[in-house]
Amino acid sequence: MGSSYLGIYTILVICLLGYSANAEVFTAGGPPGSDITAALLKAFTSACQAPAPSQVIIPKGDFKLGEIAMTGPCKAPIEITLQGNVKADGGSTQGKDRWVVFEKINGFKLNGGGTFDGEGNAAWKANNCHKTFECKKLPISVRFDFVDNAEIRDITSLDAKNFHLNVISGKNMTFDNIKILAPAQSPNTDGIHLGRCEGVKILNTKISTGDDCISVGDGMTNLLVQKVTCGPGHGISVGSLGRYGWEQDVKDIRVIDCTLTGTDNGLRIKTWPSAACTTTAAGIHFENIILNNVSNPILIDQEYCPWNQCNKNKPSTIKLVDISFRNIKGTSGNKDAVKLLCSKGHPCENVEIGDINIEYKGPDGPPTFECTNVTPKLVGTQNPKACVGPVVKVPGKE
């Protein structure tokens, strides 16, 4: 190849665990600090056209990587093994909406222990998207668009300029042992944002960032978030929902066995008043959650209106049905331990609060539990004392 821009491009034939014999391996690398964009795209393109399962390896070392889209469909399953660290352009790159994209692939693996470094520091200073909608977008670090039957494991996303991982219109995807790191002051750096996917699992993952650790957009179905640690950040959020007229229903979301530390919000569902659509979010369950100094630990906010760019006098048309918060324990960073602010146009239906114990020791008084347009079903014990609702006796508990 000769050029550092093309890097090293080799083809090996080996037997890989989980793949058939004669699987092809394509390696994209180069001298330390070189740009491997062209080499990676060529390696991916060849692997994607291979008739048998194939693997692309980015070896250990630090490399530059420009904007790249790795697009299928591929002829057979493909595995990307990122062993090294790839770094984006350190400039603000305003107006671009993506850095690394995997799209239209069925049968995909991404692993290797390496890092996607978004080099976001300069971009954060230029970013005002957390203050206004009228802003130039910054690139999402890693996008998965229309990727099915995928396993993403042992990967780090560092200092994204915008969202770290964005997952849209995928099916049967597992994210396991992912590390997401950015300062608390980095704006709009959602850890994992998902929308219009079915059958996604996020497991054993650590997220420290400047926005939502996990944000769930419209059209999500059958999402499991388990053993995730979050903080700093803005918590784990369903929504915001209702901003756009083309949104779809959300259903079957489970967040279990997670720990939140020092986050600005905890477990949150947020919908816009004066919503542009009428959809339903149903079957949303939070269970076995530990809170460490988390502000707004439990929050349903159907008056979500950042920068006052909506009409709060028009109630949200998003219906919230079959919601539960069970076994939520720990400490709050403010007195608003539980706030269930439901829409007066569509009051929340079948909301269950079961065995919560949230303490707050601040100077402005004990923790509070507020309800608007909802009568929650109460199971077990509640601290703070719940707003008025039917109390359900649990056998074996006081």
Side-chain angles (χ1 to χ4, degrees):
M1 300 299 169
S3 169
S4 63
Y5 287 93
L6 290 178
I8 301 169
Y9 176 72
T10 61
I11 301 177
L12 306 174
V13 178
I14 63 173
C15 182
L16 298 173
L17 180 63
Y19 286 162
S20 62
N22 299 324
E24 289 185 296
V25 177
F26 303 82
T27 301
S34 64
D35 188 320
I36 64 167
T37 309
L40 177 56
L41 184 58
K42 188 170 185 179
F44 174 84
T45 301
S46 296
C48 189
Q49 293 304 308
S54 57
Q55 182 183 32
V56 175
I57 297 176
I58 302 170
K60 292 183 179 180
D62 294 332
F63 305 103
K64 297 176 183 178
L65 184 65
E67 180 179 333
I68 184 170
M70 287 168 271
T71 304
C74 297
K75 292 183 177 179
I78 188 167
E79 178 175 2
I80 308 292
T81 299
L82 173 63
Q83 298 173 344
N85 304 317
V86 292
K87 295 187 177 185
D89 181 348
S92 66
T93 56
Q94 284 186 312
K96 295 184 177 181
D97 64 354
R98 63 188 192 172
W99 175 33
V100 178
V101 183
F102 302 100
E103 60 185 350
K104 300 178 182 177
I105 304 172
N106 185 2
F108 177 71
K109 293 181 180 179
L110 173 63
N111 52 43
T115 298
F116 293 96
D117 185 348
E119 293 278 346
N121 187 59
W124 302 329
K125 297 174 183 177
N127 184 4
N128 64 345
C129 291
H130 57 300
K131 298 178 181 179
T132 176
F133 291 134
E134 302 301 324
C135 65
K136 292 183 178 179
K137 300 300 182 183
L138 291 166
I140 293 167
S141 270
V142 185
R143 291 177 51 159
F144 302 90
D145 298 348
F146 302 93
V147 175
D148 298 339
N149 301 307
E151 297 179 0
I152 296 91
R153 302 179 187 273
D154 307 325
I155 290 296
T156 296
S157 175
L158 176 67
D159 291 346
K161 294 180 176 69
N162 196 335
F163 294 0
H164 288 263
L165 308 183
N166 193 74
V167 188
I168 299 296
S169 298
K171 294 181 180 179
N172 189 26
M173 304 180 70
T174 297
F175 294 82
D176 191 359
N177 193 33
I178 308 299
K179 293 183 176 62
I180 292 176
L181 304 170
Q185 296 76 25
S186 56
N188 295 107
T189 52
D190 288 35
I192 303 176
H193 175 76
L194 310 101
R196 304 204 176 192
C197 298
E198 181 178 355
V200 177
K201 298 178 182 178
I202 303 173
L203 312 172
N204 308 306
T205 288
K206 176 179 174 57
I207 304 175
S208 301
T209 194
D211 210 298
D212 291 338
C213 290
I214 295 173
S215 56
V216 179
D218 78 287
M220 279 300 301
T221 300
N222 190 18
L223 169 67
L224 172 63
V225 177
Q226 186 171 21
K227 294 185 178 179
V228 169
T229 62
C230 167
H234 294 181
I236 297 175
S237 298
V238 176
S240 61
L241 303 175
R243 181 180 172 190
Y244 302 105
W246 38 254
E247 294 185 18
Q248 299 176 1
D249 291 347
V250 172
K251 62 181 180 180
D252 298 332
I253 310 297
R254 293 181 295 153
V255 179
I256 61 177
D257 303 328
C258 296
T259 299
L260 286 74
T261 300
T263 53
D264 291 353
N265 294 285
L267 312 171
R268 180 167 57 156
I269 303 172
K270 49 184 178 178
T271 76
W272 288 73
S274 61
C277 59
T278 300
T279 59
T280 299
I284 302 172
H285 305 292
F286 303 92
E287 187 170 3
N288 299 337
I289 308 296
I290 297 174
L291 310 167
N292 298 310
N293 193 33
V294 171
S295 297
N296 308 310
I298 296 176
L299 176 60
I300 293 178
D301 184 4
Q302 294 209 260
E303 299 176 354
Y304 179 75
C305 185
W307 323 301
N308 294 316
Q309 296 197 20
C310 60
N311 180 7
K312 280 194 172 184
N313 294 322
K314 184 178 179 181
S316 178
T317 54
I318 309 302
K319 301 176 183 178
L320 300 183
V321 182
D322 296 333
I323 314 295
S324 69
F325 301 89
R326 301 178 182 132
N327 195 28
I328 316 295
K329 298 179 180 180
T331 57
S332 177
N334 62 357
K335 67 182 298 181
D336 300 320
V338 182
K339 294 182 75 172
L340 309 179
L341 308 180
C342 295
S343 169
K344 63 181 179 182
H346 296 276
C348 297
E349 299 178 20
N350 193 25
V351 175
E352 178 183 312
I353 306 293
D355 289 312
I356 64 167
N357 185 7
I358 303 174
E359 298 181 352
Y360 173 67
K361 303 295 185 183
D364 51 342
T368 60
F369 192 131
E370 179 183 353
C371 299
T372 302
N373 302 311
V374 61
T375 302
K377 179 174 71 173
L378 307 178
V379 177
T381 59
Q382 291 80 37
N383 175 39
K385 184 178 178 181
C387 55
V388 176
V391 178
V392 177
K393 298 289 185 180
V394 178
K397 295 189 177 182
E398 295 295 331

